[in-house]
Amino acid sequence: MKNQNDKIVVVSLGGSLIVPEKIDTEFIKNFKKVIEEQIANNFRFVIVTGGGKTARNYIEAATKVGEIDNEEKDWLGIHATRMNAHFIKAVFKCCAHPRINKNPRTKEDLSKHFANGEKIMVVAGWRPGWSTDYVATILAERFGAKKLINLSNITYLYNKDPNKFSDAQKIEKISWKDFRKIVGDKWDPGMSAPFDPIASKLAQKNNLEVAIIGGGNLNNFKKYLAGEKFEGSVIK
Ligand code: UTP
């Protein structure tokens, strides 16, 4: 029997796309159009929103003014993700469940977010110690999703920082074992890893496929969903 969760796609939507400097209305318009097209293709989405510049601005400002510990920094980030989640829910009023999930491990049956014909569940950050990538990975586990899309300002993985090294090479496919050697095991508030180390550990355990796709060209998002060749990287 076909699993009814087959067409639920978990998207870790980088805050760097929602608020790169200020809110990117053009990106949100494009994203909304693409999501609505895919809903027409029978997909349903779990969209986990990052904190973006709003998170980093608050963390930076607090650090300049007070003695802020890591947990407090993460909470500032979490509130930025909640602001962005509410914003995404508001623009997807057509099809999103009205409540935002703030705890991916809640005991509630998460399918109730889709129970009244909704097509989108919106999710914010949860607790200090990781990023929204981890929240998205937990939800992929709970919905039995095999694939997760990490949509951010990163178009490809590289073997080293392409901004620093002119000989950096694109990685189109990498195993979790090799990826985790690059990304390490440690979490830092406001960290900007292609996929966070804590999330990577769980994703590896669950054999999850994560596609790293840049938000600049959403055709790649469509192609990945259609199972076509796309520009981006796959961790598996
Ligand atoms: P993210 O790191 O997930 O968002 O959350 P981002 O800035 O959008 O990431 P990218 O780079 O564009 O993908 C922002 C901050 O919120 C805190 C962390 O400090 C994180 O850096 N956070 C978020 C948590 O502490 N726990 C959560 O569950 C989620």
Side-chain angles (χ1 to χ4, degrees), residues 7 44 82 121 124 158 161 169 191 213 227 234:
K7 289 199 116 184
R44 290 179 291 166
R82 290 180 177 173
M121 168 180 177
Y158 284 85
D161 187 345
Q169 285 174 348
M191 185 174 189
I213 300 178
V234 169

Side-chain angles (χ1 to χ4, degrees), residues 12-19 48-56 59 70-81 84 102 104 124-135 150-154 187-196:
S12 181
L13 176 60
S16 53
L17 294 175
I18 307 170
V19 194
V48 189
T49 54
K53 193 74 181 184
T54 314
R56 287 188 183 93
I59 293 173
N70 280 356
E71 186 167 328
E72 206 66 84
K73 286 184 196 169
D74 275 343
W75 276 115
L76 288 167
I78 290 166
H79 285 287
T81 71
N84 285 337
K102 298 199 216 74
W126 178 29
R127 285 182 188 164
W130 46 73
S131 79
T132 44
D133 293 341
Y134 182 55
V135 175
N150 186 69
L151 200 61
S152 78
N153 58 3
I154 298 173
W187 167 252
D188 270 324
M191 185 174 189
S192 195
F195 202 67
D196 105 44

Side-chain angles (χ1 to χ4, degrees), residues 40-227:
N41 287 338
N42 286 325
F43 282 105
R44 290 179 291 166
F45 292 93
V46 173
I47 302 177
V48 189
T49 54
K53 193 74 181 184
T54 314
R56 287 188 183 93
N57 279 345
Y58 274 108
I59 293 173
E60 206 184 304
T63 314
K64 280 185 186 157
V65 181
E67 291 265 315
I68 308 295
D69 61 29
N70 280 356
E71 186 167 328
E72 206 66 84
K73 286 184 196 169
D74 275 343
W75 276 115
L76 288 167
I78 290 166
H79 285 287
T81 71
R82 290 180 177 173
M83 182 69 227
N84 285 337
H86 198 107
F87 169 61
I88 291 297
K89 186 206 81 164
V91 302
F92 280 107
K93 195 132 198 161
C94 61
C95 15
H97 184 75
R99 261 195 51 228
I100 289 162
N101 174 279
K102 298 199 216 74
N103 175 356
R105 292 271 187 225
T106 174
K107 289 202 173 67
E108 81 176 18
D109 176 8
L110 292 175
S111 63
K112 80 174 195 200
H113 283 259
F114 295 105
N116 293 315
E118 296 94 335
K119 303 296 178 190
I120 298 173
M121 168 180 177
V122 184
V123 184
W126 178 29
R127 285 182 188 164
W130 46 73
S131 79
T132 44
D133 293 341
Y134 182 55
V135 175
T137 306
I138 294 172
L139 290 165
E141 178 183 65
R142 289 196 65 181
F143 281 109
K146 297 274 171 279
K147 293 177 180 179
L148 185 157
I149 300 179
N150 186 69
L151 200 61
S152 78
N153 58 3
I154 298 173
T155 7
Y156 273 106
L157 295 174
Y158 284 85
N159 61 345
K160 44 188 163 179
D161 187 345
N163 298 316
K164 288 190 197 144
F165 301 93
S166 57
D167 63 339
Q169 285 174 348
K170 268 181 199 167
I171 300 172
E172 294 197 349
K173 250 191 175 167
I174 189 168
S175 67
W176 281 113
K177 189 164 167 263
D178 290 340
F179 179 73
R180 290 192 57 210
K181 279 187 206 149
I182 300 176
V183 88
D185 269 332
K186 210 179 141 290
W187 167 252
D188 270 324
M191 185 174 189
S192 195
F195 202 67
D196 105 44
I198 310 298
S200 298
K201 198 171 171 193
L202 180 64
Q204 179 178 30
K205 176 178 157 257
N206 287 341
N207 253 328
L208 185 67
E209 176 175 307
V210 172
I212 304 286
I213 300 178
N217 180 356
L218 289 172
N219 275 330
N220 290 312
F221 181 88
K222 292 195 217 175
K223 284 183 185 168
Y224 180 68
L225 284 181

